[in-house]
Every structure is written in structure tokens, then in C-alpha cells.
Amino acid sequence: MGANKEMFLRMRENDFDNLNSETRALFTYVEVREANEYEERRNDEMYLKLYKEQKKAKDNIQKYLYEKRHK
């Protein structure tokens, strides 16, 4: 039995707006982000601190899951 996988897609807002309702109903999760969020906030010390913590946590989760799969 194969593992369930999710696909994460990135698209521009106008392309998403052009999708019909049946296609939109297939998405189980939608998140809207500013396209240049990092660039706009790269001088904000608190943002950078939290961004780095988030990136490190994501890396640690991926390493943990990889090691767990390959025991």
C-alpha cells in the first residue's frame, strides 16, 4: 500500500481566479501569500528571527521523517 501524498502548487492570483468552481473544490487547502513577502520584510529583525526558526523547524521535521522512514 503506497503512502498518501499531497501536491503543493504555486500560481498567480489571476490564474487561480480563472479556475472554475469544480476545480477549486478539489483543493483541500488554499493559502494566500504575498509574492515578495521576504523581500519586503528582510530588514525586520523580528521577522528574520522567526523566519529562520521556521526554516530550521521545517528542516528538522524533514530530517526526522526521513530517518523514521529509513530505519
Side-chain angles (χ1 to χ4, degrees):
M1 183 178 238
N4 289 330
K5 295 183 180 180
E6 295 180 328
M7 303 301 293
F8 294 90
L9 307 170
R10 202 181 271 191
M11 66 175 56
R12 290 179 170 40
E13 183 177 10
N14 61 332
D15 294 331
F16 182 79
D17 291 342
N18 290 330
L19 296 174
N20 62 42
S21 59
E22 292 85 19
T23 302
R24 286 186 189 191
L26 297 173
F27 292 108
T28 58
Y29 174 79
V30 175
E31 179 179 341
V32 179
R33 290 188 181 184
E34 296 175 35
N36 55 355
E37 179 180 280
Y38 180 82
E39 288 299 317
E40 288 184 2
R41 292 174 176 79
R42 69 180 180 194
N43 295 322
D44 181 336
E45 289 182 31
M46 179 57 98
Y47 175 82
L48 288 176
K49 177 182 178 259
L50 296 170
Y51 182 85
K52 288 176 183 177
E53 288 175 8
Q54 176 188 34
K55 192 169 174 97
K56 185 176 180 181
K58 285 182 179 181
D59 288 344
N60 288 338
I61 289 170
Q62 291 303 312
K63 288 176 189 172
Y64 167 75
L65 293 173
Y66 176 84
E67 290 171 4
K68 189 172 181 174
R69 280 192 307 268
H70 294 90
K71 280 188 175 182

